[in-house]
Amino acid sequence: MISIASTAEILRHQKILPLFYHSDQVICTGVVESLYAGGIKMVEFTNRGEQALSRFRELHQLRKEKFPKMILAAGTIRSSEDAEAYLNAGADLLISPFFDEGVAEIAKKSGAVWLPGCMTPTEIHKAASAGINIVKLFPGNLLGAEFVQAVRPLFPEVQFVVTGGVEPTVAGVEHWLQAGVLAAGLGSKLISNELMEQQQFNRLEKNVAELLHQLQKK
C-alpha cells in the first residue's frame, strides 16, 4: 500500500493521472500496457460498470506479473462496500467523486490513501478535518482554475488534484498546474471510447509519452 507522501511525489512528477474504464479485458490490458510504456506510473481505473471489479482484479494480476512499479488507484469509490472490495482486490489507493463517511472510516482503518472529491470550501474543510492531505477537485470544468487559486490559501495543509474537462495538451494541463494543483486527471479526452474500441494502443502510448515529455521539461 502506498503512502500519502509517495502518492504526492508521483503525482507531482507525473503531472497527469490517466483514468478510464472498459468492460473488455483485452482493452483494459492494452490501455494499461500503453500507459506504462508511455511513462505512466500511476493510473486510475474507475468503478463505473458491472465488470469493473473483475477487470480491476485482472489488472492487479497483470501489474504483479509485468509492471510491479505501476500504482493502481481505484476510482469512483462511492461506499464502504466499494472501498473494501477494491482494497481486497489490490487497490493501492482509493479515489471518490465526493466525501463519504463510510469510505473515510475504511480508509482510516486500513491505512489506505483516499482522495475524496470536493467542490466547495465547506467540503474541503470537512476532508481536511478528517485528516485528508490530498483532495480531488471535481468537476474541474465547472470550478475553474480561479477556484484553486482562491481556496489554496485557506487550506495550506491540503494538496489538490483536479478532474473533469481538462484538455490533454501541455497548455490544458499547465493551466491547472500554474493554479497550484499537483496533477490533472485525464479521462475520456485522453483515453476516448473510439481509441479503446479501435484498440489504437500505439497512438495512446505515443500521445502520453509526448505529453509527459513536454510537461516534465517545464
Side-chain angles (χ1 to χ4, degrees):
M1 198 170 293
I2 192 170
S3 69
I4 190 68
S6 295
T7 300
E9 182 180 355
I10 292 171
L11 288 171
R12 186 179 294 107
H13 175 73
Q14 192 166 282
K15 302 183 188 298
I16 63 172
L17 178 61
L19 56 115
F20 79 102
Y21 167 74
H22 201 281
S23 61
D24 185 88
Q25 179 185 5
V26 172
I27 292 176
C28 290
T29 298
V31 168
V32 172
E33 287 180 336
S34 299
L35 292 173
Y36 190 83
I40 293 296
K41 297 298 183 289
M42 181 184 291
V43 62
E44 175 185 342
F45 187 77
T46 57
N47 175 35
R48 293 193 177 180
E50 292 182 0
Q51 302 300 316
L53 186 57
S54 295
R55 298 292 84 84
F56 190 90
R57 289 194 184 102
E58 292 158 358
L59 290 176
H60 178 251
Q61 184 62 36
L62 178 73
R63 186 269 295 276
K64 289 199 297 183
E65 295 171 357
K66 300 180 68 174
F67 316 122
K69 294 184 179 180
M70 173 69 90
I71 303 300
L72 288 178
T76 319
I77 301 301
R78 291 167 288 197
S79 66
S80 58
E81 291 79 13
D82 286 345
E84 288 184 325
Y86 278 89
L87 288 174
N88 289 336
D92 295 305
L93 66 149
L94 306 172
I95 302 176
S96 299
F98 45 70
F99 188 97
D100 180 84
E101 298 287 355
V103 177
E105 185 64 24
I106 295 298
K108 184 177 181 179
K109 284 183 178 179
S110 66
V113 172
W114 175 47
L115 278 60
C118 296
M119 193 180 179
T120 67
T122 298
E123 292 172 348
I124 298 170
H125 172 69
K126 185 177 182 179
S129 297
I132 302 299
N133 300 108
I134 305 177
V135 162
K136 181 176 85 166
L137 297 177
F138 173 80
N141 55 324
L142 295 182
L143 292 170
E146 294 81 2
F147 178 81
V148 182
Q149 294 170 328
V151 298
R152 279 187 67 212
L154 302 177
F155 303 101
E157 74 281 19
V158 177
Q159 301 181 85
F160 299 102
V161 174
V162 64
T163 300
V166 181
E167 292 296 325
T169 63
V170 174
V173 175
E174 276 291 331
H175 176 68
W176 287 98
L177 294 177
Q178 290 171 6
V181 303
L182 271 178
L186 296 176
S188 60
K189 288 180 178 289
L190 177 68
I191 311 170
S192 66
N193 287 331
E194 177 186 10
L195 184 150
M196 289 191 286
E197 293 298 336
Q198 295 179 5
Q199 299 189 26
Q200 297 177 345
F201 302 132
N202 289 336
R203 174 183 157 200
L204 176 60
E205 178 185 340
K206 180 180 178 181
N207 290 347
V208 167
E210 179 61 23
L211 181 57
L212 287 180
H213 175 70
Q214 293 299 325
L215 287 172
Q216 292 170 358
K217 283 199 310 183
K218 293 182 175 292

